[in-house]
Amino acid sequence: MKKWMLIDGNSITYRAFFAMPPLTNSSGMQTNAIYGFTTMLLKLIEEQKPTHILVAFDAGKTNFRHEQFTEYKAGRQKTPPELSQQFPLLKELIEAFGIAQYEIDGYEADDIIGTLTAKADEQQIETVVISGDKDMLQLASPKVTIAVTRKGVSEVELYSPETIQEKYGLEPKQIIDLKGLMGDTSDNIPGVPGVGEKTALKLLHQFPTVEEVLSNLDAQKGKLKENLTTHQEAAIMSKQLATIFREVPIELTEDQMIYSGYDSAKLAEQLQKLEFKSLLERLDVSAGSSSSEEEAKQALAALTIYNITEQGSEGLAQLVTALKQQQMHGLYVETIGENPHLATFEGIAIALGEEVFVISPAMLKQQELVPVVEWLADEEIKKYGYDLHKVELVLNWHGIQLGGGYFDVQLAAYLLDPTDGNQLLHTIAERNGIYGLPSDDEVYGKGAKLKLPAEPELFQHLAVKASVVQQLVPKLNKQLEDTRMAALYYDLEGPLSRILAQMEKRGIKVERTELEQQGVELEASLKRLTTEIYEQAGMEFKISSPKQLGEVLFEKLGLPAKKKTKTGYSTDAEVLEELAPYHPIVKNILDYRQLAKLQSTYIEGLLKEVREETGHIHTYYRQTIAATGRLSSQFPNLQNIPIRLEEGRKIRKAFIPSEPGWSIVAADYSQIELRVLAHISGDERLKEAFIHNQDIHTKTAMDVFGVSAEEVDSNMRRSAKAVNFGIVYGISDFGLSQNLGITRKEASQFIEQYFNVFRGVRKYMDDIIAEAKKNGYIVTLLDRRRYVPDIHASNFNIRSFAERIAMNTPIQGSAADIIKLAMVKMNAELEQRKLQSRMLLQVHDELVFEVPPHELELMKELVPQVMADAIKLDVPLVADVSYGDSWYEAK
DNA sequence: AAGCTCACG
DNA sequence: ACGTACGTGAGCTTA
């Protein structure tokens, strides 16, 4: 059965714009109205199941109504540019949905819809009209239902002639009379003064039309009669204006309105452009109807898969031949387990066009597969794969080498948008218009339910992944070029991933006995503290439970609660520090917390990670996590080993060279972030300070407080240091006031004074925010990019956060670029000079090496030199070096 | 699985 | 008036 769905495009878009939060895509373009329209559209299509759809739009600035009444729609707020910008994209999207749209000069969307519903009535076609405007109710009929949006656009209320009768006691066509009497402020239709909905309804219940009301004026009295009498013309005209014109010369056939599902390739393209990720996923899931999506899936399903699981498997010879010809390929190696040092290796898939070869781990050990193993290891053959950093490690642990330059689709996807989740292959694929790859969660299950399927199904999945990788390579490569990040990829991140794998595989030697001994001492202290705390509290409780601790401190002992968290009292160190003078228990709790942290995270935590056989700890650096371009470290995290407090710092005594007589050499950049800021802001004063290698916090204090070096006391220096931190983080008066324990006003004055002196820095902060607004993203020295869509947010907090990100990311990110460069250069030096020294760790601004005695003198020079020369800035870079028998001694 | 707390740069 | 400093990972408790 036929069913038409007619949508008032302008009305719905307008509603959606005001109802939806101000979503933007990464280039800063607002897309909320389109999003609202689309979700509503999808919902209605599902609910109403129309066979024909038309979206009607207003066209032309004026129409016949303006001729009748020049003030028509006058005084209406001009359409905000944020909304009008959205129309062209919306129209493209509707097109991609395969939905007809129509507009004709001189008429509004209502008139087009009115004309079509007249036809629907005539031909007895079931029709639903979608609008945000109740004027449309006049079109209701036995066949025509009107859906009016409510609560923004998420729900609609359906009106039939019956419901209109129930609600208003009117026939549909009397809606015109209603408008004639009461007017409509939004369209600037005057109506009769003093007549609102209540009065108008009362009048129409007496007399069915405006005309009849007016010819029976004697039935009214008082002010109402007077108003009706003097505004007869206005009432008539208002009625005319509210009347939908139902004879528009529409040149559109019914067949053009047929809706037969969307073209998913086109739709995906549009949705990507708009960055509607949730819709992309949703449409994929709810697919089945769409032809080209099916095609894409079928293409993946149609791959020829060769399972190489036993000797003499079909396809092996073909694979070997193809590999020798160095054909373009897609490599996918399946590993299970988050920690690559412990992960299992489940299979290798190599896609070569339409053919995919899947090899079981057992088979890889067979003689016949030697050519494949050699191919994997060949440093001359570039590999195209997914998460090759992890793959290299996993394969290494399983005795297989992975060599060659990499093109890694995960790493590429990270550079293209570092804030976009964990870069799963199936999401990268969908974002790039490749459908049909189920997620690992779907195929393997997750959490406790994780279970690999049997071989045919598993291998099918791996084959599809390898094929997807192959398809993604050219797409991502092009995007890297388009975004000017190709060099960042090929010269920095790509080579770095190999270096990281080496560092991780090597690990760092840790002396168990040192940790164990410290653990025994900590245990004793913790025991003593526990007893004392229980005594002071007068009860036993879980000290490490913030909830129970809060009850003890703030209820039982009656200490003044200061901060609150979402769930109750805050008991963090800041609160406890303040509470310490009130009760001796507080100091004990602080001590307990400190020691408990050392014990559980650093003593017990690290001991669990020391390899029995080698006494080494192998961390894993993640290269695709941090939004700024930094590395992060996991299993265990070796980038947060204590240093600030002596008790914790002792942990570093356990980190030692792996060979007797060798040294640990550590070098760290001095003030790299402020030096980067001096360079990119070009601030003369800041540059001067670094060129003369002055103590930057003292210098800042001198300039901000206007005093000489001798006059800077420790308090002034402390304040200046906090201001410098604040500047790097994207300054806010609130943050600074918190940090320094001063009022916001004082903090604000500090900042103002700072900016008055460091004018170039102020200009940088202003410029970078402007740049973020203009481009939708900001870049680091090496063109690493981060999108900041929230820079356009109307919510102060969200926008401010985005501004701080815009200020901080080029600084933190450029510093990350620089040390990564230093790592690549350092690695090259070690190789060229054939040194035995090894790079072990990176801690954001520090590199740690183990060095044989005969290279110590050289490395003490070389490391800081390479670090300082990693990049040429307008200010010198300085790296300080130290060494010793452990990481603790290298200070 | 989420929230709190705390270790680092 | 709004309520936060930027970037991470891990352990513990509790829902």
Side-chain angles (χ1 to χ4, degrees), chain A residues 480-509:
Chain A
L480 286 174
E481 281 168 10
D482 291 346
T483 53
R484 295 188 304 280
M485 287 195 284
L488 177 65
Y489 184 93
Y490 289 104
D491 300 338
L492 191 68
E493 299 288 356
L496 181 69
S497 75
R498 302 295 310 275
I499 296 169
L500 293 175
Q502 277 178 42
M503 291 164 63
E504 293 155 353
K505 179 75 197 313
R506 203 174 277 144
I508 183 166
K509 172 117 173 175

Side-chain angles (χ1 to χ4, degrees), chain A residues 249-267:
Chain A
I250 295 179
E251 292 169 25
L252 182 82
T253 64
E254 186 181 7
D255 283 351
Q256 288 175 297
M257 290 169 38
I258 291 176
Y259 176 69
S260 55
Y262 47 82
D263 174 335
S264 68
K266 274 195 200 162
L267 186 58

Side-chain angles (χ1 to χ4, degrees), chain A residues 493 496 499-500 503-504 508 619-623 629-634 637-641 667 669 784 812 815-824 839-849 867 887:
Chain A
E493 299 288 356
L496 181 69
I499 296 169
L500 293 175
M503 291 164 63
E504 293 155 353
I508 183 166
T619 189
Y620 174 52
Y621 290 105
R622 297 192 67 185
Q623 208 180 347
R630 278 189 175 182
L631 298 175
S632 85
S633 156
Q634 269 185 323
N637 182 353
L638 294 186
Q639 290 182 319
N640 70 347
I641 302 301
Y669 279 113
R784 183 190 305 281
Q812 190 183 122
D817 293 349
I818 293 169
I819 193 162
K820 282 177 167 179
L821 259 183
M823 292 171 79
V824 172
M839 185 152 57
L840 302 178
L841 302 175
Q842 189 252 43
V843 193
H844 309 307
D845 66 351
E846 174 186 16
L847 295 177
V848 179
F849 298 82
M867 287 171 74
W887 198 6

Side-chain angles (χ1 to χ4, degrees), chain A residues 561-576:
Chain A
K562 199 195 151 219
K563 268 198 304 189
K564 276 200 164 172
T565 65
K566 254 188 269 183
T567 49
Y569 306 109
S570 169
T571 66
D572 64 20
E574 193 195 324
V575 170
L576 295 184

Side-chain angles (χ1 to χ4, degrees), chain A residues 532-533 536 559 579-590:
Chain A
E532 242 178 79
I533 289 168
Q536 287 165 320
L559 295 175
L579 254 33
Y582 292 94
H583 198 294
I585 195 175
V586 179
K587 177 76 174 80
N588 280 337
I589 289 164
L590 279 165

Side-chain angles (χ1 to χ4, degrees), chain A residues 3-229:
Chain A
K3 179 163 186 180
W4 289 4
M5 183 157 107
L6 308 174
I7 302 170
D8 182 340
N10 288 80
S11 156
I12 296 296
T13 312
Y14 214 81
R15 288 242 158 189
F17 177 74
F18 290 105
M20 303 290 297
L23 264 185
T24 51
N25 69 6
S26 50
S27 60
M29 152 112 194
Q30 199 162 318
T31 54
N32 65 333
I34 306 177
Y35 187 82
F37 185 101
T38 311
T39 50
M40 183 217 65
L41 181 68
L42 288 171
K43 192 172 166 200
L44 284 166
I45 290 177
E46 194 171 334
E47 283 172 11
Q48 301 286 334
K49 305 201 190 321
T51 56
H52 295 65
I53 309 181
L54 180 82
V55 184
F57 287 103
D58 299 350
K61 288 213 169 74
T62 60
N63 56 56
F64 63 91
R65 291 184 178 85
H66 294 89
E67 286 162 30
Q68 284 177 12
F69 180 49
T70 47
E71 292 297 294
Y72 179 65
K73 288 198 176 173
R76 184 183 263 204
Q77 289 249 321
K78 221 182 109 202
T79 310
E82 291 85 358
L83 172 56
S84 44
Q85 284 164 7
Q86 298 186 52
F87 277 101
L89 278 179
L90 174 66
K91 289 178 180 175
E92 281 181 48
L93 182 67
I94 293 170
E95 159 103 42
F97 263 107
I99 291 175
Q101 47 191 314
Y102 194 71
E103 56 185 68
I104 177 168
D105 235 20
Y107 298 94
E108 296 184 30
D110 315 26
D111 303 318
I112 296 169
I113 291 173
T115 305
L116 289 171
T117 53
K119 284 191 185 161
D121 284 334
E122 207 178 286
Q123 297 169 28
Q124 294 285 295
I125 299 168
E126 194 76 35
T127 298
V128 58
V129 171
I130 322 290
S131 178
D133 192 343
K134 287 202 173 133
D135 280 8
M136 288 289 199
L137 300 189
Q138 63 186 277
L139 302 177
S141 76
K143 285 285 168 191
V144 177
T145 309
I146 315 297
V148 181
T149 54
R150 43 166 211 199
K151 283 197 196 165
V153 290
S154 60
E155 282 176 33
V156 293
E157 195 166 2
L158 294 173
Y159 289 89
S160 64
E162 291 74 37
T163 51
I164 296 169
Q165 188 61 244
E166 273 167 39
K167 193 158 176 185
Y168 298 105
L170 299 179
E171 295 292 316
K173 64 173 195 236
Q174 288 180 287
I175 295 294
I176 313 172
D177 298 281
L178 183 67
K179 277 282 152 78
L181 292 168
M182 64 184 274
D184 183 339
T185 39
S186 71
D187 287 348
N188 207 30
I189 296 178
V192 177
V195 176
E197 185 176 305
K198 283 272 161 59
T199 317
L201 283 172
K202 202 181 77 193
L203 290 169
L204 290 172
H205 293 154
Q206 278 180 295
F207 305 101
T209 66
V210 169
E211 289 77 7
E212 284 182 66
V213 169
L214 296 177
S215 46
N216 292 284
L217 284 173
D218 286 339
Q220 314 306 333
K221 53 189 178 186
K223 193 74 187 167
L224 178 60
K225 181 176 179 182
E226 203 178 295
N227 279 335
L228 285 168
T229 314

